[in-house]
């Protein structure tokens, strides 16, 4: 309507949210139409981050259209002079995905590795990059690379995704791709760690209880503590529980 055509209108700021939603939904028909609508709105270039957000949405569209060579050219162009680590991590992932889709696993591997090495604080993108590295190693596991034991390196990266980012979507995918005996070992280790954490919690509670019993001051509190400890009361009961764990 006419309201959005007024320069400085709040409409254009709200459009940022809709743009991100359409891109995430991969609704390319609506996304293309909406980008055109934004570009016809006065002042859209002045909204901080919006021009780059549109370029990233268009880059994602190229990926979905399988225009991989164009993706590589556009990603390299967007990286020039860029110092935003979050954006650079995203661009490297997209570029790596394009190379992977073109079966260029060696070059894809090099691009993916830049994410944890140079943008390791971008926790949203690192697990995806490490999972992609593992998949590159898996695809490269051919006779000419036998000496490099790429299958083992693949498992190392899968295990890192699982242990370092256990609540990520990528961790679930990595667990499914890990050999069964290694998957079972990780699950067993997690069980042991959970048990240790429970024992530590019980021990800590015992120390707190004993401190409260002995911290009242005076002879009466000492007598109470001695009788409590020697009677096999609550303290022994909690200890028995911790042993059962």
């Amino acid at each position: 309507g006419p309201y959005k055509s007024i320069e400085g209108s709040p409409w254009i700021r709200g459009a940022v949210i809709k743009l991100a939603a359409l891109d995430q939904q991969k609704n390319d028909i609506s996304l293309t139409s909406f980008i055109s609508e934004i570009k016809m709105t006065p002042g859209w270039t002045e909204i901080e981050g919006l021009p780059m957000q549109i370029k990233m949405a268009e880059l994602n569209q190229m990926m979905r259209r399988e225009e991989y060579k164009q993706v590589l050219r556009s990603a390299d162009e967007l990286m020039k002079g860029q110092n935003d680590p979050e954006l650079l991590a995203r661009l490297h992932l997209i570029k790596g995905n394009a190379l992977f889709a073109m079966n260029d696993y060696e070059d894809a591997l090099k691009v993916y590795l830049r994410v944890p090495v140079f943008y390791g604080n971008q926790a949203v993108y690192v697990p995806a990059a490490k999972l992609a590295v593992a998949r590159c190693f898996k695809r490269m596991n051919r006779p000419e690379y036998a000496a490099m034991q790429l299958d083992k390196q693949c498992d190392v990266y899968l295990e890192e995704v699982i242990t370092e980012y256990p609540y990520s979507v990528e961790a679930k995918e990595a667990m499914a791709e890990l050999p069964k005996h290694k998957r079972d070992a990780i699950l067993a280790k997690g069980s042991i760690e959970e048990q240790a954490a429970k024992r530590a919690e019980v021990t800590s509670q015992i120390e707190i209880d004993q401190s409260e019993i002995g911290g009242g001051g005076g002879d009466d509190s000492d007598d109470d503590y001695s009788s409590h400890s020697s009677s096999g009361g609550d303290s022994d009961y909690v200890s028995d529980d911790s042993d059962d764990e």
Side-chain angles (χ1 to χ4, degrees), residues 82 84-86 88-90 92 113-123 125-126:
Q82 184 57 245
D84 181 350
E86 190 270 345
L88 286 168
R90 288 175 61 193
H92 279 87
L113 282 171
R114 292 180 66 87
V115 178
V117 171
F118 294 105
Y119 314 109
N121 62 337
Q122 300 300 312
Y125 304 106
V126 172

Side-chain angles (χ1 to χ4, degrees), residues 66-120:
E66 300 183 1
E67 299 170 354
Y68 301 128
K69 290 185 178 179
Q70 180 61 37
V71 168
L72 296 178
R73 287 192 293 269
S74 297
D76 284 338
E77 187 66 29
L78 289 174
M79 287 182 193
K80 290 180 181 178
Q82 184 57 245
N83 56 12
D84 181 350
E86 190 270 345
L87 183 60
L88 286 168
R90 288 175 61 193
L91 286 169
H92 279 87
L93 270 180
I94 293 173
K95 182 177 179 180
N97 290 343
L99 290 165
F100 190 94
M102 295 168 69
N103 301 322
D104 188 352
Y105 305 121
E106 290 86 349
D107 284 342
L109 176 67
K110 295 173 186 175
V111 174
Y112 286 135
L113 282 171
R114 292 180 66 87
V115 178
V117 171
F118 294 105
Y119 314 109

Side-chain angles (χ1 to χ4, degrees), residues 3-180:
Y3 181 62
K4 70 182 180 184
S5 64
I6 301 173
E7 189 167 354
S9 166
W11 179 90
I12 194 67
R13 298 186 183 277
V16 173
I17 300 172
K18 183 176 179 179
L19 177 67
L22 290 173
D23 189 21
Q24 188 173 13
Q25 294 168 2
K26 303 178 183 179
N27 189 340
D28 286 332
I29 294 176
S30 297
L31 181 59
T32 299
S33 174
F34 192 61
I35 288 174
S36 297
E37 187 177 359
I38 290 175
K39 289 182 177 179
M40 290 188 294
T41 304
W44 74 272
T45 57
E46 306 302 319
I47 303 300
E48 184 178 358
L50 181 57
M52 180 58 73
Q53 185 179 347
I54 289 176
K55 290 177 182 178
M56 292 298 293
E58 292 172 336
L59 194 61
N60 289 333
Q61 286 185 305
M62 291 178 207
M63 277 294 298
R64 292 191 284 271
R65 292 195 299 263
E66 300 183 1
E67 299 170 354
Y68 301 128
K69 290 185 178 179
Q70 180 61 37
V71 168
L72 296 178
R73 287 192 293 269
S74 297
D76 284 338
E77 187 66 29
L78 289 174
M79 287 182 193
K80 290 180 181 178
Q82 184 57 245
N83 56 12
D84 181 350
E86 190 270 345
L87 183 60
L88 286 168
R90 288 175 61 193
L91 286 169
H92 279 87
L93 270 180
I94 293 173
K95 182 177 179 180
N97 290 343
L99 290 165
F100 190 94
M102 295 168 69
N103 301 322
D104 188 352
Y105 305 121
E106 290 86 349
D107 284 342
L109 176 67
K110 295 173 186 175
V111 174
Y112 286 135
L113 282 171
R114 292 180 66 87
V115 178
V117 171
F118 294 105
Y119 314 109
N121 62 337
Q122 300 300 312
V124 174
Y125 304 106
V126 172
K130 287 194 171 187
L131 179 59
V133 167
R135 289 170 174 168
C136 286
F137 281 137
K138 188 173 183 179
R139 300 301 194 286
M140 291 166 59
N141 191 24
R142 301 189 295 268
E144 60 265 36
Y145 293 115
M148 299 175 66
Q149 298 184 313
L150 297 184
D151 55 335
K152 292 184 179 179
Q153 294 194 50
C154 172
D155 291 350
V156 166
Y157 274 87
L158 291 175
E159 289 172 358
E160 285 184 5
V161 173
I162 294 165
T163 56
E164 294 174 6
Y165 305 92
Y167 303 111
S168 66
V169 173
E170 291 80 9
K172 185 179 294 186
E173 295 180 28
M175 185 69 84
E177 296 183 26
L178 200 62
K180 185 178 183 304

